[in-house]
Amino acid sequence: MDYELTIFLRQAWNDPRLKHNSTGTIVFNGGSIMDLVWVPDLFFTNAKDVKLHMAPKENLLFRIRPNGDVLYSSRLSLVLSCYMSLKKFPMDKQACHLKVESYSYNVEELTLEWWNTSEPVEIDENVTLPQYTIDSIEHYSNVTAYITGDFAFLSVSFNLVRSLGFYVLQAYIPSSLLVALSWLSVWVEISAAPARVALGVTTVLALVTQATWLRSQLPKIAYATETEEWITKGTNASSRNCEDGVSNNNFRRNSGMKARRGMLRRGMTRPQLKRQETQVLTTAELLYSSNEQLDYLCIALQIDRFSRVFLPLAFCIFSIVYWSIYPIPSMSK
């Protein structure tokens, strides 16, 4: 993942060669004079792109005090890489680093220290992030060992907590409503098999579409996230309603075949049914002719009664377990 920063990079050091007799501070705002003065050759180790702001002119500031103290400030736009683990997405915390290091001078020639050790990194209070909240900022300094020697570096870690509001509104609430909508299939008349199956298939397709959209918002990763686990369980619950509708339809058909055989044994003829009365009268016909102990229609009715209680209860238990295992991340004090 990449993130962008616009920063004011301020450096200070003392150069005895730049001592002067002027009573005030000498100020330069870029220009060819910058090529005549030594400056540290710092670079950002995890940067993909670095740009110096040039409007309306170079955003550089160079101050020289009479005792040789130098202040060098520049305004930069950075594109930095940030290694993220999205297994707990969207209840995840991320740490994005900014690392500054000397390119040519080793620790024997150049050391790097924070200017203000108490609060070296300041962020504008009006800056807000759409998907994250800045939990804390950590800074440290250390030495990196290379084949060419040991080089000092300064590093800043931005600890971020993802804002959950967007995903609650776009993923969790809609998927929960779709799962609840699929429960309506067990309240539909058993003889209305097409309506039961169509309702279940529609909710499954809607959940699959939502999962695909959420996956498109993420980089191409090889593991499942917490949101995908939630939607997968919801899809399984909706598919169970489809299976229930299909099995009940099979029970109804078996019961209808038994009913017709029973009527033939009694010498009864099947009544001529109008198209609009077919569903209701067929159910009454099945109930009338079902006089055996093991009746398929009764089994279908019992499955529906059980599902009306079991499916919402199972989803509620899953929700409690899910939010217990994956709690909403809290801000550190």
Side-chain angles (χ1 to χ4, degrees):
M1 296 290 290
D2 298 339
Y3 71 103
E4 299 180 7
L5 288 177
T6 298
I7 65 171
F8 292 93
L9 179 62
R10 300 184 179 97
Q11 308 171 53
W13 66 91
N14 182 270
D15 192 341
R17 299 170 298 178
L18 298 180
K19 292 182 179 180
H20 57 85
N21 297 326
S22 177
T23 57
T25 301
I26 301 176
V27 180
F28 300 101
N29 297 109
S32 59
I33 188 65
M34 298 298 300
D35 298 332
L36 304 177
V37 181
W38 178 89
V39 295
D41 58 340
L42 303 183
F43 74 103
F44 301 92
T45 59
N46 59 329
K48 292 186 175 181
D49 189 22
V50 179
K51 293 182 180 179
L52 174 68
H53 287 248
M54 303 295 292
K57 59 180 299 185
E58 287 183 331
N59 291 178
L60 294 175
L61 173 63
F62 200 87
R63 291 180 178 178
I64 305 175
R65 296 183 180 276
N67 61 352
D69 288 343
V70 178
L71 173 64
Y72 178 41
S73 177
S74 58
R75 183 168 177 247
L76 306 172
S77 288
L78 312 175
V79 178
L80 306 169
S81 61
C82 179
Y83 299 98
M84 294 184 176
S85 175
L86 299 175
K87 292 183 178 180
K88 294 185 177 181
F89 172 86
M91 279 81 74
D92 56 333
K93 293 183 177 181
Q94 304 295 342
C96 294
H97 302 274
L98 185 153
K99 186 177 178 182
V100 183
E101 186 176 317
S102 174
Y103 189 82
S104 302
Y105 303 101
N106 57 33
V107 291
E108 298 178 356
E109 300 167 332
L110 177 66
T111 59
L112 299 178
E113 297 178 354
W114 290 108
W115 190 359
N116 182 1
T117 56
S118 61
E119 192 175 359
V121 180
E122 298 178 355
I123 297 181
D124 189 349
E125 297 179 354
N126 298 322
V127 173
T128 57
L129 302 176
Q131 294 192 37
Y132 293 95
T133 301
I134 300 177
D135 186 15
S136 60
I137 300 176
E138 301 176 356
H139 58 87
Y140 56 92
S141 58
N142 209 331
V143 176
T144 302
Y146 296 102
I147 297 177
T148 55
D150 298 336
F151 294 82
F153 71 87
L154 301 177
S155 182
V156 181
S157 176
F158 302 97
N159 299 319
L160 309 175
V161 177
R162 193 183 298 273
S163 300
L164 195 59
F166 173 81
Y167 299 98
V168 169
L169 297 176
Q170 298 295 327
Y172 288 101
I173 292 179
S175 60
S176 300
L177 294 177
L178 288 172
V179 173
L181 181 63
S182 68
W183 300 336
L184 297 179
S185 62
V186 298
W187 294 88
V188 178
E189 179 70 27
I190 294 178
S191 55
R196 295 165 66 100
V197 175
L199 182 59
V201 171
T202 301
T203 54
V204 169
L205 292 178
L207 287 169
V208 171
T209 302
Q210 187 181 43
T212 303
W213 173 79
L214 284 173
R215 170 61 74 166
S216 66
Q217 306 300 310
L218 297 175
K220 296 179 180 180
I221 53 179
Y223 49 84
T225 63
E226 292 181 7
T227 308
E228 291 173 333
E229 181 179 349
W230 171 272
I231 294 181
T232 300
K233 297 299 183 183
T235 304
N236 292 338
S238 299
S239 62
R240 291 294 301 171
N241 292 334
C242 293
E243 296 173 4
D244 179 70
V246 173
S247 61
N248 282 353
N249 182 53
N250 291 332
F251 285 134
R252 183 185 69 84
R253 294 178 61 183
N254 292 332
S255 183
M257 295 175 62
K258 287 179 55 181
R260 283 187 283 273
R261 287 195 298 266
M263 293 174 66
L264 291 175
R265 285 196 298 267
R266 297 199 251 327
M268 299 174 60
T269 59
R270 182 172 181 176
Q272 298 296 323
L273 303 176
K274 297 181 179 179
R275 181 175 297 275
Q276 62 269 23
E277 297 175 348
T278 301
Q279 298 295 340
V280 177
L281 291 178
T282 301
T283 304
E285 178 187 73
L286 294 175
L287 291 172
Y288 175 77
S289 61
S290 298
N291 51 9
E292 298 184 7
Q293 293 181 355
L294 182 60
D295 182 38
Y296 292 106
L297 183 60
C298 293
I299 295 176
L301 291 173
Q302 291 176 0
I303 292 176
D304 273 358
R305 294 192 186 101
F306 175 76
S307 299
R308 292 169 187 173
V309 177
F310 173 76
L311 293 178
L313 181 61
F315 186 75
C316 291
I317 294 175
F318 166 71
S319 300
I320 294 173
V321 174
Y322 178 88
W323 292 107
S324 300
I325 298 176
Y326 307 119
I328 298 176
S330 58
M331 301 286 291
S332 62
K333 298 181 180 179

